[in-house]
């Protein structure tokens, strides 16, 4: 859990390594800026990207946010990697695809060190666990007890395989000696819908995706 607290709950903006960090332009000659998000509209990453975009409108024009959800951000990363390295395209995403995916997947379509350059840490998030309306679980002790007596309902949603919420479920399994079944989603929103619809028992995610 210390690893999670130290470095894996951050959202980081990155750009193509050939481009370098986009430099502010003169007001009379502002270049465009594309901010790519690897998750659907309305989530934490999307909200952050739009806030960053609003703050950069004095230096870039226009500023557009493009959502390319899927595979925990890998689709968006592949898109940005293939884009022209002109310093006018960046990506906003959790640190998981850069820090965790290289250890979770045997093969990736990108190299987090060679293909991208870190630009800025822009936010930190708290994570949590929520349960379905029918579980009547109010804390982790009750959750682990419930999982042991109801293995069929021991399913949890996360924003894709290899993401931090996925590993949070794995850590809970190991520390509590229980067995959970992970159900991957494109983002927290679809997982919320499944949770409210009683299709999954629990969800691991950032608090802002649930509150």
């Amino acid at each position: 859990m210390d690893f999670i607290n130290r470095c894996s709950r951050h959202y980081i903006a990155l750009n193509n390594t050939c481009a370098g960090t986009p430099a502010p332009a003169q007001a009379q000659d502002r270049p465009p800026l594309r901010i790519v998000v690897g998750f659907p509209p309305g989530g934490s990453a999307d909200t952050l990207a739009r806030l960053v975009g609003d703050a950069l409108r004095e230096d870039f024009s226009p500023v557009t946010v493009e959502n390319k959800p899927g595979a925990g951000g890998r689709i968006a990363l592949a898109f940005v990697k293939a884009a022209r390295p002109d310093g006018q395209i960046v990506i906003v995403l959790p640190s998981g695809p850069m820090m965790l995916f290289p250890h979770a997947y045997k093969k990736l379509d990108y190299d987090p060190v060679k293909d991208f350059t870190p630009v800025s840490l822009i936010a930190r998030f708290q994570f949590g666990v929520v349960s379905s309306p029918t579980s009547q679980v109010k804390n982790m002790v009750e959750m682990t007890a419930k999982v042991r007596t109801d293995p069929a309902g021991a399913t949890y949603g996360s924003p894709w395989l290899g993401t931090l919420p996925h590993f949070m479920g794995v850590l809970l399994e190991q520390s509590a000696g229980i067995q959970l079944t992970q159900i991957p989603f494109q983002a927290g929103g679809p997982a919320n819908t499944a949770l409210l619809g009683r299709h999954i028992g629990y969800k691991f995610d950032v608090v802002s995706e649930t509150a």
Side-chain angles (χ1 to χ4, degrees):
M1 296 301 290
D2 182 57
F3 172 73
I4 294 174
N5 291 331
R6 285 189 292 109
C7 59
S8 294
R9 64 189 183 193
H10 311 160
Y11 277 92
I12 301 176
L14 303 125
N15 72 333
N16 192 286
T17 196
C18 297
T21 304
Q26 299 297 322
Q28 65 271 21
D29 185 27
R30 294 181 296 169
L33 179 66
R34 300 164 67 190
I35 303 177
V36 178
V37 182
F39 298 90
S44 299
D46 178 71
T47 300
L48 280 173
R50 296 181 189 280
L51 290 172
V52 169
D54 287 342
L56 294 175
R57 294 189 190 281
E58 291 186 1
D59 298 316
F60 299 91
S61 180
V63 177
T64 58
V65 176
E66 302 178 26
N67 297 89
K68 297 188 178 297
R74 292 173 62 187
I75 291 176
L77 282 165
F79 176 82
V80 173
K81 177 187 173 182
R84 180 182 176 185
D86 55 8
Q88 296 171 15
I89 182 169
V90 298
I91 182 169
V92 172
L93 77 168
S95 58
M98 296 293 148
M99 298 178 63
L100 296 179
F101 284 13
H103 305 286
Y105 290 90
K106 292 183 178 180
K107 183 178 180 180
L108 291 173
D109 297 330
Y110 63 91
D111 186 308
V113 176
K114 296 179 180 179
D115 295 330
F116 299 91
T117 299
V119 174
S120 178
L121 168 67
I122 57 177
R124 296 174 184 264
F125 284 89
Q126 297 293 329
F127 286 83
V129 184
V130 292
S131 60
S132 69
T134 58
S135 70
Q136 298 182 341
V137 167
K138 298 180 180 179
N139 54 56
M140 296 301 294
V141 174
E142 293 180 358
M143 176 184 173
T144 54
K146 179 80 171 180
V147 167
R148 291 190 177 97
T149 59
D150 181 25
T155 56
Y156 72 97
S158 74
W160 209 253
L161 302 168
T163 58
L164 181 56
H166 177 195
F167 280 106
M168 290 175 66
V170 174
L171 286 172
L172 179 61
E173 287 183 301
Q174 295 176 346
S175 61
I178 58 177
Q179 186 171 354
L180 301 168
T181 300
Q182 188 231 14
I183 309 296
F185 293 86
Q186 281 193 341
N192 284 337
T193 301
L195 189 73
L196 293 173
R198 298 170 175 81
H199 302 298
I200 56 176
Y202 310 92
K203 190 187 79 153
F204 291 76
D205 209 348
V206 294
V207 174
S208 60
E209 294 280 0
T210 303

